[in-house]
Amino acid sequence: MTPLRTARPLVGLVMAVLLLASGAAVARSATPSHTTGTAVVVAPQPPPVFFADVLYGQSFHREVSWLAEQKITTGYADNTFRPSAPVSREAMAAFLYRYAGSPAYVPPAVSAFVDVPTRHVFYRQISWLASKRITTGYADGTFRPSAPVSREAMAAFLYRYAGSPAYVPPAVSAFVDVPTRHVFYRQISWLASKRITTGYADGTFRPSAPVSREAMAAFLYRYAGSPAYLPPQDNRPAVVTPVPAWQWAQILATGTWRPGCPGGSASFVRVEVPFFGFDGRYHRGALVVNRDIATDTREVFDHLAAAKFPLNTVIPVEYFGGLDRVSEAANNTSAFNCRKPAEGISAPESSPHANGRAFDLNPVQNPWIRPGTTTWEPAAGAIWATRRELAWQRFGVVAAGGIPLTWFTNRGGWQWQGGPVDYMHFDTGFPSVPMSGH
């Protein structure tokens, strides 16, 4: 069991009926080809754009994927996008230059900024930005390329990129922290008028806060008019890798693993998996599991995807702050989680989840009753508690004779905690039992 998050709306019965009960086949992306005589030659296709730290169901997944497909971002060499990292001023220059189509431009022989030498990796882009009067730099002649871009500066950049259009800002500010006398009041108000920004739920814009990379993706996507766009489907087979350093750092930061939890970073692996979504499309997710169930993890999720057993999202629990209830409420399929003391129901050394030898599939469609209570969790799962017949499998229900249970039963070494206690949960035994021979 693992409670879920609020970032993506829960998949309700109506959506499931519309998208899954129809039985519509998932359309695979068309592959361009040409004929030579009687033979058809299929052109090789690059793999779908995929950042390991921006999975389907995470905030701004669509916008980040769009940014990458437009060649506005390439991410980092370790296949990450680093969504929460601030956008640097040099990266902002690169984003806008690429957004403009990487126009032919010869930068000047002498830099306009004392801290941007002509050999700078983004010298062309920064010089182009200055040539278009999108930036003027600072009064001391610097550009400060590595400094983060503030939200107010981002508004000014986009306003100037648009040609500094004639615009009369309202007499009353849309944001409680942007007074009409603010130096960038016009630009921020223009950004809001175009629905490029909506600010925060508390009515603030937070002008001096740095712009995160995921927020910048959203701003550029909205600037483009929020084009109709679906990230490419991704049905590549599951892949097992070591847990990357950036992910282990998140696991530690959220307390998903901490002193007193079993194992350590070398005890676990990351498994990137395909899955068939509630939207009738293939996506890619990731799980952290114990090394001794890596093969089973790879094989079962490849099998579930091939059989089109639907899953809502597959995101490691640290994305939800390591909070089981949050992950479950978001209907997220998960594995490893050394639960916080307030959520744990067994000692970490005994816990299948803390040892990375358990899965929780679609918590909403497969709820559980926490020991010592009589209430189904997550709350949205209560209506699904009695829908256990095989016919409900197309909605993501784990049922007797169904796809997941049959695979785990035939595989051996796995137990289902279903009916009437915990329908979502599969593990290798309690206390946690190491897997061997698979």
Side-chain angles (χ1 to χ4, degrees):
M1 311 97 337
T2 4
L4 189 64
R5 66 145 193 214
T6 57
R8 174 167 292 273
L10 296 176
V11 178
L13 175 60
V14 174
M15 177 177 287
V17 170
L18 291 176
L19 296 178
L20 297 174
S22 65
V26 173
R28 302 297 297 274
S29 300
T31 303
S33 63
H34 61 277
T35 58
T36 54
T38 58
V40 176
V41 179
V42 178
Q45 296 297 296
V49 174
F50 174 75
F51 293 120
D53 57 348
V54 186
L55 302 172
Y56 174 77
Q58 290 184 218
S59 299
F60 303 119
H61 171 264
R62 178 195 301 266
E63 293 87 343
V64 171
S65 180
W66 173 83
L67 203 72
E69 286 217 355
Q70 298 299 313
K71 308 299 186 187
I72 297 169
T73 185
T74 56
Y76 291 87
D78 62 357
N79 198 36
T80 63
F81 179 72
R82 305 180 191 175
S84 61
V87 176
S88 65
R89 288 171 59 85
E90 62 190 7
M92 183 71 169
F95 285 160
L96 291 180
Y97 177 75
R98 295 170 191 158
Y99 184 88
S102 299
Y105 171 74
V106 178
V110 178
S111 178
F113 303 109
V114 297
D115 58 346
V116 183
T118 57
R119 65 181 181 278
H120 190 283
V121 64
F122 292 122
Y123 179 62
R124 179 189 303 273
Q125 294 88 336
I126 294 170
S127 296
W128 174 84
L129 207 70
S131 74
K132 297 297 182 181
R133 306 298 294 171
I134 297 171
T135 184
T136 57
Y138 291 89
D140 61 1
T142 62
F143 179 72
R144 306 179 193 175
S146 61
V149 176
S150 66
R151 288 170 58 87
E152 62 189 7
M154 175 276 302
F157 284 152
L158 290 184
Y159 178 75
R160 295 170 192 157
Y161 181 88
S164 299
Y167 171 74
V168 179
V172 178
S173 178
F175 304 109
V176 298
D177 58 347
V178 182
T180 56
R181 64 181 181 278
H182 190 283
V183 64
F184 292 122
Y185 179 64
R186 178 188 303 274
Q187 294 88 335
I188 294 170
S189 296
W190 172 84
L191 206 69
S193 75
K194 297 297 183 182
R195 306 296 295 170
I196 297 170
T197 184
T198 56
Y200 291 88
D202 62 0
T204 62
F205 179 73
R206 306 179 193 176
S208 61
V211 179
S212 67
R213 289 171 57 84
E214 63 185 2
M216 195 66 236
F219 290 143
L220 289 174
Y221 177 75
R222 296 169 193 159
Y223 182 92
S226 300
Y229 170 76
L230 289 174
Q233 296 193 69
D234 193 343
N235 196 22
R236 291 174 294 161
V239 175
V240 179
T241 69
V243 178
W246 61 264
Q247 185 172 7
W248 190 252
Q250 291 179 353
I251 288 171
L252 295 178
T254 57
T256 305
W257 187 96
R258 58 197 179 278
C261 293
S265 61
S267 305
F268 304 100
V269 293
R270 173 186 171 99
V271 188
E272 293 177 356
V273 300
F275 69 95
F276 184 69
F278 277 78
D279 60 352
R281 293 170 56 82
Y282 283 104
H283 305 286
R284 200 155 188 82
L287 297 159
V288 174
V289 300
N290 196 291
R291 284 183 173 276
D292 60 27
I293 69 162
T295 297
D296 280 21
T297 303
R298 175 174 55 79
E299 292 184 2
V300 68
F301 279 88
D302 280 346
H303 177 72
L304 295 180
K308 296 185 178 179
F309 178 82
L311 299 173
N312 187 41
T313 59
V314 184
I315 302 171
V317 174
E318 64 270 15
Y319 177 72
F320 306 96
L323 297 172
D324 201 43
R325 284 187 170 94
V326 180
S327 177
E328 282 181 7
N331 205 15
N332 181 57
T333 292
S334 64
F336 164 72
N337 184 15
C338 185
R339 294 190 180 96
K340 309 290 196 301
E343 290 191 328
I345 59 173
S346 61
E349 61 270 18
S350 302
S351 167
H353 276 294
N355 281 275
R357 299 188 185 106
F359 302 113
D360 289 341
L361 305 184
N362 290 338
V364 169
Q365 285 77 21
N366 303 292
W368 73 303
I369 296 177
R370 187 176 294 273
T373 75
T374 58
T375 304
W376 287 104
E377 295 185 18
I383 63 171
W384 292 94
T386 58
R387 297 170 179 170
R388 312 321 304 169
E389 295 84 5
L390 189 59
W392 292 100
Q393 176 174 259
R394 66 185 185 275
F395 303 112
V397 167
V398 176
I403 295 165
L405 188 53
T406 298
W407 188 94
F408 281 109
T409 300
N410 291 341
R411 185 65 164 174
W414 287 92
Q415 300 178 8
W416 181 44
Q417 302 301 324
V421 178
D422 191 347
Y423 293 116
M424 70 182 82
H425 185 90
F426 292 87
D427 64 37
T428 62
F430 181 87
S432 184
V433 179
M435 180 67 73
S436 62
H438 284 193

